[in-house]
Amino acid sequence: MNLNLDFATIFERWPAFLQGALLTLQLAFIATALGTVIGVLGAIGRRSSHPIVARICGIYVEVIRNTPLLVQIFLVYFGLASLGLKFSAFAVAAAALTINVGAYTTEIIRAGFDSIPRGQIEAAEGLALSRAQIYWYVVMWPAIEKVYPSLTSQFVLLMLASSVTSQISAEELTAVANYIQSDTYRAFETYILVAIVYIILSLVMRAGFWLLGLVIFPRRRRLGTPL
Amino acid sequence: MHKITRTDTASSVVGLSNVHKSFGALKVLNGVSFEVNRGEVLVLIGRSGSGKSTALRCIDRFETIDSGEIVVCGHRVSDPKLNLRALRQDVGIVFQSYNLFPHLTIEENITLAPCSVKGISKAQAKEQARRVLAQVGLEDKLHQYPEQLSGGQQQRAAIARSLAMQPKVMLFDEVTSALDPELTGEVLKVIEALAADGMTMVMVTHEMGFARGIANRVVFMHHGKVHETGPAAILTSPATPELAQFVGTGL
Ligand SMILES: Nc1ncnc2c1ncn2[C@@H]1O[C@H](COP(=O)(O)OP(=O)(O)OP(=O)(O)O)[C@@H](O)[C@H]1O
Ligand SMILES: [Mg+2]
C-alpha cells in the first residue's frame, strides 16, 4: 500500500475554495435569518387558536421533516422551472434551505414558547399588554433564550447540509470540490481539505452565535445562569 | 346574606351580583354577590376549593362567568363587548407565584407595561419605577434580575410592578402562601401600607391575624356561596357554625 498524497495542486486552487466557502456561508446566513423569521411565525401559527392556521403550519412542518432535503431542493428547482420562472441556482438553493430549516426552527421555537409558564402570560395580561406585546416581550425572548443551543445547532447542521445544493450546481463549497477533484484527479486530497474547511465554517458559525447570544441575552451575559 | 341593590354607585369600585360559574359539571360559584367601595379592603376567606381564586379571577376577567353581573370601575366585566385592556389598566392583580419576567431586570419588569401600554416615556417610567420600588422597600434592586431576589423581595417587586400601572383596585391571591413565615411579614407590611394609603383591595388570604387587622369587610365563601359576610369582627365572633369551624382551624 502506498499512500501518495499531493496537496500542492489542491492548494493552488485556494481562491476557488474560498469562493465556495463564502457562498456556503452566505447560504447559511440567508437560511438562518429567514428561517428564524419563519420559525417564529410558524410557532405562533402552530399555537394559534385558529384551527386552519394551526393545521397548515403543522402540515408544513410534517412534510418537511419527512422528506429528504435533496428532494425538497429538486421540488423547488423543478417547480419554479415548470412555472416558467427562471432563478439562479443560488437563489433556488437559498429558498429550499430556508423552507427546510424554517420547519425545524418552527418546532424548536414552538417548544420554547410552550415552556413559558402560563403564569408569566397571565401576569402580562393582567398588566394590560396586548397579545402582540406579550408574544414579543414576555414569550419570544425568553423562549428563544431557552432553545438557543438547539436552534444554533440546527443552523450549523443546515450549513453542513447545504452541500447537497451542489446537485443543482449552486457554486458552494462542495460543488467547487467536485469540480476541482475531477479537474485534478486528486479526489481524496480535495475532500480532506473540504472537510477541514467545513469544520472551520462550523467553528466560525458557533463563535458567531456565541457572540450574538451575549448581545441579545443581557441577563445571560451578566449572570451566566440558564433561564 | 349580603344583598347588592346598586352596583353603580359612585363609590363602588367592584360589584358582583349573583355570579354563577361552573367548570364543566363542577359548580364553583353559585350566586356570589359582594361589593367593594373606594378605599375599602375586602378579604375573601374559605376552605380550599371554595371558589375564592375563581371569584377573584372573574373580577379581572381571567375567567368568564355563566350568569350574573360584575362591574369593576365602571366596566361591565360580564359584557362580551368589554374593553379588556381598559379594564386591566384599572385593575392590578398579584398572584401567589410572583410571575416576574425572569429575563428582565426589576426596572424593566416595572417599566414594560407603563411604556408599552400607556405609552409614557422611558425616562418617566424609570422615575416611576424608582418611586414604586421605594414604596415596597426595594429601591436598591432596580438593576437586579428576579432570580437574584428572595421570594419576599420578588413578591414585593411584583406588587410594585402592578402599582406602576396606577390601578384603581388591587387584587391579591394568597400572595404570601409561597413564602417562608419570616418573609411573609415584609410582604404583608407593604400591603398594610397600601391599605393605609387608601388603595381599594380585594384579597384572598389564609393569614387570619392579618385579615383581622386589615379587612373592612370579610367574605367567607363556602360551597361557592357567600356563606357569611361582615366586618373583621366576624372572624372573632362568627355567626355561622361553618365560619366558626373555619376560623377555629384556620388560626
Ligand atoms: N380552570 C379550571 N378548570 C377546572 N376546574 C377548576 C379550574 N380552576 C379551578 N377549578 C376548580 O374549581 C374549584 C374552586 O377553585 P378555586 O381555585 O377558586 O378555589 P380556592 O378557594 O381558591 O382554593 P385554594 O384555597 O386551594 O386556592 C376547585 O375545585 C378547583 O379544582
Ligand atoms: Mg386559590
Side-chain angles (χ1 to χ4, degrees), chain A residues 122 128 133 137 219 225, chain B residues 57 85 100 103 116 143 147:
Chain A
E122 282 195 344
Q133 288 169 339
Y137 292 113
R219 188 205 60 87
T225 52
Chain B
R57 289 167 60 83
R85 294 182 64 204
L100 291 170
H103 59 299
S116 51
H143 301 295
E147 68 190 272

Side-chain angles (χ1 to χ4, degrees), chain B residues 48-49 51-54 96 173-174 204 206:
Chain B
S48 181
K52 308 178 297 291
S53 295
T54 306
Q96 179 180 331
D173 191 358
E174 295 193 38
V204 177
H206 287 301

Side-chain angles (χ1 to χ4, degrees), chain B residues 1-241:
Chain B
M1 236 157 278
H2 188 70
K3 182 119 190 339
I4 288 182
T5 44
R6 295 175 305 162
T7 53
D8 259 337
T9 54
S11 68
S12 171
V13 177
V14 177
L16 280 75
S17 57
N18 201 22
V19 171
H20 289 257
K21 165 79 187 171
S22 301
F23 290 112
L26 181 69
K27 189 115 198 139
V28 178
L29 300 180
N30 197 1
V32 170
S33 307
F34 57 75
E35 194 165 355
V36 191
N37 293 320
R38 180 164 306 126
E40 268 188 345
V41 177
L42 183 142
V43 173
L44 278 171
I45 57 170
R47 284 212 179 75
S48 181
S50 57
K52 308 178 297 291
S53 295
T54 306
L56 199 75
R57 289 167 60 83
C58 287
I59 295 172
D60 209 7
R61 241 262 207 134
F62 278 108
E63 307 288 355
T64 50
I65 62 176
D66 302 336
S67 66
E69 190 172 57
I70 301 180
V71 179
V72 178
C73 305
H75 306 280
R76 305 174 71 84
V77 179
S78 33
D79 184 343
K81 291 198 297 285
L82 166 78
N83 182 343
L84 192 58
R85 294 182 64 204
L87 167 75
R88 287 175 176 168
Q89 286 191 49
D90 287 341
V91 181
I93 186 162
V94 182
F95 304 90
Q96 179 180 331
S97 48
Y98 345 113
N99 292 328
L100 291 170
F101 307 128
H103 59 299
L104 302 179
T105 62
I106 300 303
E107 181 179 63
E108 290 164 341
N109 264 275
I110 294 174
T111 55
L112 174 59
C115 287
S116 51
V117 176
K118 291 191 163 171
I120 72 171
S121 73
K122 260 258 149 55
Q124 235 181 318
K126 286 185 174 185
E127 187 45 48
Q128 196 191 24
R130 236 172 291 277
R131 210 168 53 235
V132 290
L133 274 178
Q135 219 176 326
V136 301
L138 289 177
E139 50 279 67
D140 54 330
K141 302 295 182 194
L142 213 52
H143 301 295
Q144 307 265 51
Y145 284 92
E147 68 190 272
Q148 297 174 290
L149 272 55
S150 73
Q153 292 172 335
Q154 289 192 45
Q155 191 57 290
R156 287 188 277 151
I159 293 171
R161 180 174 68 177
S162 267
L163 290 176
M165 286 298 280
Q166 298 173 315
K168 300 195 175 102
V169 53
M170 290 281 288
L171 311 178
F172 296 94
D173 191 358
E174 295 193 38
V175 292
T176 59
S177 295
L179 300 174
D180 295 338
E182 65 265 34
L183 297 181
T184 299
E186 64 186 43
V187 175
L188 296 184
K189 256 193 227 108
V190 164
I191 297 176
E192 270 164 6
L194 275 180
D197 263 8
M199 176 62 82
T200 310
M201 301 194 270
V202 182
M203 69 175 74
V204 177
T205 184
H206 287 301
E207 305 282 336
M208 286 304 143
F210 175 68
R212 250 199 319 275
I214 200 172
N216 298 110
R217 191 200 309 270
V218 173
V219 166
F220 172 59
M221 304 229 353
H222 189 63
H223 293 321
K225 288 191 152 116
V226 177
H227 194 77
E228 185 172 344
T229 180
I234 67 167
L235 292 173
T236 34
S237 47
T240 63

